[in-house]
mmCIF file of all heavy atoms in Angstrom:
data_model
loop_
_atom_site.group_PDB
_atom_site.id
_atom_site.type_symbol
_atom_site.label_atom_id
_atom_site.label_comp_id
_atom_site.label_asym_id
_atom_site.label_seq_id
_atom_site.Cartn_x
_atom_site.Cartn_y
_atom_site.Cartn_z
ATOM 1 N N LYS A 192 -167.757 -79.095 -41.973
ATOM 2 C CA LYS A 192 -166.756 -79.946 -42.602
ATOM 3 C C LYS A 192 -166.554 -81.252 -41.821
ATOM 4 O O LYS A 192 -166.297 -82.299 -42.397
ATOM 5 C CB LYS A 192 -165.429 -79.186 -42.702
ATOM 6 C CG LYS A 192 -164.313 -79.958 -43.347
ATOM 7 C CD LYS A 192 -163.044 -79.143 -43.410
ATOM 8 C CE LYS A 192 -161.893 -79.958 -43.955
ATOM 9 N NZ LYS A 192 -160.627 -79.243 -43.855
ATOM 10 N N ASN A 193 -166.697 -81.172 -40.498
ATOM 11 C CA ASN A 193 -166.391 -82.323 -39.645
ATOM 12 C C ASN A 193 -167.620 -82.886 -38.936
ATOM 13 O O ASN A 193 -167.491 -83.551 -37.912
ATOM 14 C CB ASN A 193 -165.336 -81.914 -38.613
ATOM 15 C CG ASN A 193 -164.025 -81.578 -39.266
ATOM 16 O OD1 ASN A 193 -163.290 -82.454 -39.687
ATOM 17 N ND2 ASN A 193 -163.738 -80.289 -39.392
ATOM 18 N N ALA A 194 -168.784 -82.633 -39.488
ATOM 19 C CA ALA A 194 -170.035 -83.043 -38.838
ATOM 20 C C ALA A 194 -170.067 -84.545 -38.541
ATOM 21 O O ALA A 194 -170.492 -84.961 -37.459
ATOM 22 C CB ALA A 194 -171.228 -82.649 -39.694
ATOM 23 N N GLU A 195 -169.610 -85.340 -39.486
ATOM 24 C CA GLU A 195 -169.644 -86.790 -39.295
ATOM 25 C C GLU A 195 -168.739 -87.219 -38.141
ATOM 26 O O GLU A 195 -169.142 -88.025 -37.298
ATOM 27 C CB GLU A 195 -169.215 -87.489 -40.593
ATOM 28 C CG GLU A 195 -169.448 -88.981 -40.570
ATOM 29 C CD GLU A 195 -169.148 -89.620 -41.908
ATOM 30 O OE1 GLU A 195 -169.678 -89.139 -42.927
ATOM 31 O OE2 GLU A 195 -168.376 -90.586 -41.922
ATOM 32 N N LYS A 196 -167.534 -86.669 -38.093
ATOM 33 C CA LYS A 196 -166.610 -86.996 -37.000
ATOM 34 C C LYS A 196 -167.159 -86.529 -35.664
ATOM 35 O O LYS A 196 -167.055 -87.234 -34.655
ATOM 36 C CB LYS A 196 -165.241 -86.330 -37.234
ATOM 37 C CG LYS A 196 -164.430 -86.930 -38.334
ATOM 38 C CD LYS A 196 -163.112 -86.189 -38.458
ATOM 39 C CE LYS A 196 -162.321 -86.640 -39.649
ATOM 40 N NZ LYS A 196 -161.068 -85.876 -39.803
ATOM 41 N N ILE A 197 -167.727 -85.334 -35.651
ATOM 42 C CA ILE A 197 -168.287 -84.775 -34.418
ATOM 43 C C ILE A 197 -169.414 -85.663 -33.908
ATOM 44 O O ILE A 197 -169.460 -86.023 -32.726
ATOM 45 C CB ILE A 197 -168.766 -83.323 -34.640
ATOM 46 C CG1 ILE A 197 -167.563 -82.406 -34.881
ATOM 47 C CG2 ILE A 197 -169.595 -82.830 -33.454
ATOM 48 C CD1 ILE A 197 -167.925 -81.012 -35.392
ATOM 49 N N THR A 198 -170.308 -86.069 -34.805
ATOM 50 C CA THR A 198 -171.431 -86.936 -34.424
ATOM 51 C C THR A 198 -170.922 -88.272 -33.906
ATOM 52 O O THR A 198 -171.387 -88.772 -32.880
ATOM 53 C CB THR A 198 -172.374 -87.153 -35.626
ATOM 54 O OG1 THR A 198 -172.858 -85.883 -36.048
ATOM 55 C CG2 THR A 198 -173.531 -88.054 -35.262
ATOM 56 N N PHE A 199 -169.950 -88.848 -34.609
ATOM 57 C CA PHE A 199 -169.378 -90.127 -34.187
ATOM 58 C C PHE A 199 -168.783 -90.016 -32.791
ATOM 59 O O PHE A 199 -169.026 -90.868 -31.932
ATOM 60 C CB PHE A 199 -168.306 -90.588 -35.184
ATOM 61 C CG PHE A 199 -167.576 -91.821 -34.735
ATOM 62 C CD1 PHE A 199 -168.174 -93.064 -34.858
ATOM 63 C CD2 PHE A 199 -166.303 -91.731 -34.187
ATOM 64 C CE1 PHE A 199 -167.504 -94.210 -34.436
ATOM 65 C CE2 PHE A 199 -165.635 -92.866 -33.766
ATOM 66 C CZ PHE A 199 -166.233 -94.108 -33.894
ATOM 67 N N ASN A 200 -168.018 -88.957 -32.539
ATOM 68 C CA ASN A 200 -167.391 -88.779 -31.227
ATOM 69 C C ASN A 200 -168.420 -88.539 -30.129
ATOM 70 O O ASN A 200 -168.256 -89.016 -29.006
ATOM 71 C CB ASN A 200 -166.369 -87.643 -31.267
ATOM 72 C CG ASN A 200 -165.125 -88.036 -32.019
ATOM 73 O OD1 ASN A 200 -164.756 -89.206 -32.079
ATOM 74 N ND2 ASN A 200 -164.460 -87.057 -32.608
ATOM 75 N N GLN A 201 -169.490 -87.824 -30.449
ATOM 76 C CA GLN A 201 -170.555 -87.615 -29.463
ATOM 77 C C GLN A 201 -171.252 -88.931 -29.137
ATOM 78 O O GLN A 201 -171.554 -89.211 -27.979
ATOM 79 C CB GLN A 201 -171.569 -86.587 -29.978
ATOM 80 C CG GLN A 201 -171.034 -85.176 -29.978
ATOM 81 C CD GLN A 201 -171.967 -84.193 -30.671
ATOM 82 O OE1 GLN A 201 -172.779 -84.566 -31.510
ATOM 83 N NE2 GLN A 201 -171.836 -82.926 -30.324
ATOM 84 N N MET A 202 -171.486 -89.739 -30.158
ATOM 85 C CA MET A 202 -172.114 -91.044 -29.934
ATOM 86 C C MET A 202 -171.209 -91.933 -29.092
ATOM 87 O O MET A 202 -171.677 -92.620 -28.175
ATOM 88 C CB MET A 202 -172.440 -91.715 -31.271
ATOM 89 C CG MET A 202 -173.590 -91.065 -31.997
ATOM 90 S SD MET A 202 -173.898 -91.677 -33.686
ATOM 91 C CE MET A 202 -173.674 -93.410 -33.558
ATOM 92 N N ARG A 203 -169.923 -91.918 -29.397
ATOM 93 C CA ARG A 203 -168.971 -92.722 -28.632
ATOM 94 C C ARG A 203 -168.925 -92.262 -27.179
ATOM 95 O O ARG A 203 -168.905 -93.077 -26.261
ATOM 96 C CB ARG A 203 -167.586 -92.635 -29.276
ATOM 97 C CG ARG A 203 -166.641 -93.692 -28.757
ATOM 98 C CD ARG A 203 -165.384 -93.738 -29.556
ATOM 99 N NE ARG A 203 -164.629 -92.508 -29.317
ATOM 100 C CZ ARG A 203 -163.549 -92.157 -29.976
ATOM 101 N NH1 ARG A 203 -163.103 -92.904 -30.943
ATOM 102 N NH2 ARG A 203 -162.919 -91.047 -29.686
ATOM 103 N N LYS A 204 -168.954 -90.954 -26.987
ATOM 104 C CA LYS A 204 -168.956 -90.400 -25.628
ATOM 105 C C LYS A 204 -170.214 -90.834 -24.883
ATOM 106 O O LYS A 204 -170.150 -91.250 -23.722
ATOM 107 C CB LYS A 204 -168.874 -88.877 -25.685
ATOM 108 C CG LYS A 204 -168.874 -88.210 -24.343
ATOM 109 C CD LYS A 204 -168.803 -86.696 -24.495
ATOM 110 C CE LYS A 204 -168.951 -86.000 -23.172
ATOM 111 N NZ LYS A 204 -168.999 -84.546 -23.321
ATOM 112 N N ASN A 205 -171.369 -90.767 -25.553
ATOM 113 C CA ASN A 205 -172.625 -91.190 -24.928
ATOM 114 C C ASN A 205 -172.599 -92.670 -24.567
ATOM 115 O O ASN A 205 -173.100 -93.063 -23.514
ATOM 116 C CB ASN A 205 -173.810 -90.882 -25.844
ATOM 117 C CG ASN A 205 -174.095 -89.405 -25.940
ATOM 118 O OD1 ASN A 205 -173.690 -88.619 -25.090
ATOM 119 N ND2 ASN A 205 -174.787 -89.011 -26.991
ATOM 120 N N GLU A 206 -172.012 -93.486 -25.440
ATOM 121 C CA GLU A 206 -171.903 -94.919 -25.150
ATOM 122 C C GLU A 206 -171.027 -95.149 -23.926
ATOM 123 O O GLU A 206 -171.340 -95.988 -23.081
ATOM 124 C CB GLU A 206 -171.333 -95.662 -26.356
ATOM 125 C CG GLU A 206 -172.307 -95.774 -27.507
ATOM 126 C CD GLU A 206 -171.671 -96.342 -28.767
ATOM 127 O OE1 GLU A 206 -170.502 -96.775 -28.738
ATOM 128 O OE2 GLU A 206 -172.357 -96.347 -29.799
ATOM 129 N N ASN A 207 -169.936 -94.400 -23.815
ATOM 130 C CA ASN A 207 -169.060 -94.524 -22.649
ATOM 131 C C ASN A 207 -169.783 -94.111 -21.374
ATOM 132 O O ASN A 207 -169.638 -94.763 -20.334
ATOM 133 C CB ASN A 207 -167.787 -93.692 -22.832
ATOM 134 C CG ASN A 207 -166.849 -94.275 -23.855
ATOM 135 O OD1 ASN A 207 -166.916 -95.462 -24.180
ATOM 136 N ND2 ASN A 207 -165.964 -93.448 -24.387
ATOM 137 N N ILE A 208 -170.556 -93.045 -21.457
ATOM 138 C CA ILE A 208 -171.312 -92.587 -20.291
ATOM 139 C C ILE A 208 -172.323 -93.655 -19.877
ATOM 140 O O ILE A 208 -172.460 -93.964 -18.687
ATOM 141 C CB ILE A 208 -172.007 -91.235 -20.583
ATOM 142 C CG1 ILE A 208 -170.964 -90.119 -20.678
ATOM 143 C CG2 ILE A 208 -173.047 -90.914 -19.513
ATOM 144 C CD1 ILE A 208 -171.506 -88.797 -21.199
ATOM 145 N N LYS A 209 -173.023 -94.228 -20.852
ATOM 146 C CA LYS A 209 -173.992 -95.286 -20.543
ATOM 147 C C LYS A 209 -173.308 -96.485 -19.894
ATOM 148 O O LYS A 209 -173.819 -97.067 -18.939
ATOM 149 C CB LYS A 209 -174.718 -95.734 -21.814
ATOM 150 C CG LYS A 209 -175.716 -94.750 -22.335
ATOM 151 C CD LYS A 209 -176.342 -95.266 -23.629
ATOM 152 C CE LYS A 209 -177.190 -94.207 -24.286
ATOM 153 N NZ LYS A 209 -177.718 -94.646 -25.587
ATOM 154 N N ARG A 210 -172.150 -96.864 -20.440
ATOM 155 C CA ARG A 210 -171.406 -98.001 -19.903
ATOM 156 C C ARG A 210 -170.968 -97.718 -18.465
ATOM 157 O O ARG A 210 -171.086 -98.570 -17.586
ATOM 158 C CB ARG A 210 -170.204 -98.289 -20.809
ATOM 159 C CG ARG A 210 -169.732 -99.689 -20.758
ATOM 160 C CD ARG A 210 -168.700 -100.089 -21.815
ATOM 161 N NE ARG A 210 -167.999 -99.054 -22.528
ATOM 162 C CZ ARG A 210 -168.256 -98.694 -23.794
ATOM 163 N NH1 ARG A 210 -169.204 -99.282 -24.471
ATOM 164 N NH2 ARG A 210 -167.552 -97.751 -24.380
ATOM 165 N N GLU A 211 -170.460 -96.493 -18.220
ATOM 166 C CA GLU A 211 -170.054 -96.124 -16.863
ATOM 167 C C GLU A 211 -171.247 -96.125 -15.915
ATOM 168 O O GLU A 211 -171.146 -96.600 -14.781
ATOM 169 C CB GLU A 211 -169.387 -94.750 -16.875
ATOM 170 C CG GLU A 211 -168.019 -94.741 -17.512
ATOM 171 C CD GLU A 211 -167.443 -93.341 -17.666
ATOM 172 O OE1 GLU A 211 -167.931 -92.409 -16.993
ATOM 173 O OE2 GLU A 211 -166.499 -93.189 -18.452
ATOM 174 N N TYR A 212 -172.384 -95.591 -16.367
ATOM 175 C CA TYR A 212 -173.589 -95.575 -15.543
ATOM 176 C C TYR A 212 -174.010 -96.995 -15.186
ATOM 177 O O TYR A 212 -174.333 -97.292 -14.032
ATOM 178 C CB TYR A 212 -174.726 -94.842 -16.268
ATOM 179 C CG TYR A 212 -176.033 -94.920 -15.516
ATOM 180 C CD1 TYR A 212 -176.280 -94.080 -14.433
ATOM 181 C CD2 TYR A 212 -177.014 -95.843 -15.871
ATOM 182 C CE1 TYR A 212 -177.469 -94.157 -13.731
ATOM 183 C CE2 TYR A 212 -178.201 -95.927 -15.174
ATOM 184 C CZ TYR A 212 -178.423 -95.082 -14.107
ATOM 185 O OH TYR A 212 -179.593 -95.166 -13.407
ATOM 186 N N THR A 213 -173.992 -97.881 -16.181
ATOM 187 C CA THR A 213 -174.381 -99.273 -15.957
ATOM 188 C C THR A 213 -173.453 -99.929 -14.939
ATOM 189 O O THR A 213 -173.913 -100.634 -14.035
ATOM 190 C CB THR A 213 -174.362 -100.063 -17.281
ATOM 191 O OG1 THR A 213 -175.275 -99.442 -18.189
ATOM 192 C CG2 THR A 213 -174.735 -101.508 -17.077
ATOM 193 N N THR A 214 -172.170 -99.687 -15.064
ATOM 194 C CA THR A 214 -171.197 -100.248 -14.122
ATOM 195 C C THR A 214 -171.462 -99.747 -12.710
ATOM 196 O O THR A 214 -171.485 -100.529 -11.753
ATOM 197 C CB THR A 214 -169.760 -99.886 -14.552
ATOM 198 O OG1 THR A 214 -169.519 -100.423 -15.855
ATOM 199 C CG2 THR A 214 -168.739 -100.432 -13.576
ATOM 200 N N ILE A 215 -171.679 -98.455 -12.573
ATOM 201 C CA ILE A 215 -171.947 -97.871 -11.255
ATOM 202 C C ILE A 215 -173.236 -98.448 -10.679
ATOM 203 O O ILE A 215 -173.294 -98.815 -9.501
ATOM 204 C CB ILE A 215 -172.024 -96.328 -11.343
ATOM 205 C CG1 ILE A 215 -170.633 -95.763 -11.612
ATOM 206 C CG2 ILE A 215 -172.612 -95.732 -10.072
ATOM 207 C CD1 ILE A 215 -170.623 -94.289 -11.986
ATOM 208 N N LYS A 216 -174.269 -98.540 -11.512
ATOM 209 C CA LYS A 216 -175.563 -99.075 -11.073
ATOM 210 C C LYS A 216 -175.400 -100.523 -10.626
ATOM 211 O O LYS A 216 -175.946 -100.919 -9.586
ATOM 212 C CB LYS A 216 -176.575 -98.973 -12.222
ATOM 213 C CG LYS A 216 -177.957 -99.295 -11.818
ATOM 214 C CD LYS A 216 -178.541 -98.189 -10.970
ATOM 215 C CE LYS A 216 -179.979 -98.514 -10.663
ATOM 216 N NZ LYS A 216 -180.347 -98.256 -9.304
ATOM 217 N N GLU A 217 -174.644 -101.318 -11.377
ATOM 218 C CA GLU A 217 -174.422 -102.720 -10.994
ATOM 219 C C GLU A 217 -173.676 -102.808 -9.673
ATOM 220 O O GLU A 217 -173.991 -103.650 -8.819
ATOM 221 C CB GLU A 217 -173.643 -103.446 -12.092
ATOM 222 C CG GLU A 217 -174.456 -103.722 -13.329
ATOM 223 C CD GLU A 217 -173.623 -104.258 -14.488
ATOM 224 O OE1 GLU A 217 -172.375 -104.293 -14.399
ATOM 225 O OE2 GLU A 217 -174.227 -104.623 -15.516
#
Side-chain angles (χ1 to χ4, degrees):
K192 180 180 175 188
N193 295 284
E195 190 174 308
K196 288 180 187 177
I197 292 168
T198 301
F199 174 78
N200 287 332
Q201 288 172 336
M202 288 173 41
R203 194 170 68 188
K204 180 181 174 185
N205 289 340
E206 288 172 7
N207 289 339
I208 290 170
K209 287 178 189 176
R210 206 170 16 256
E211 289 173 18
Y212 174 80
T213 301
T214 300
I215 290 169
K216 189 72 176 137
E217 287 172 353

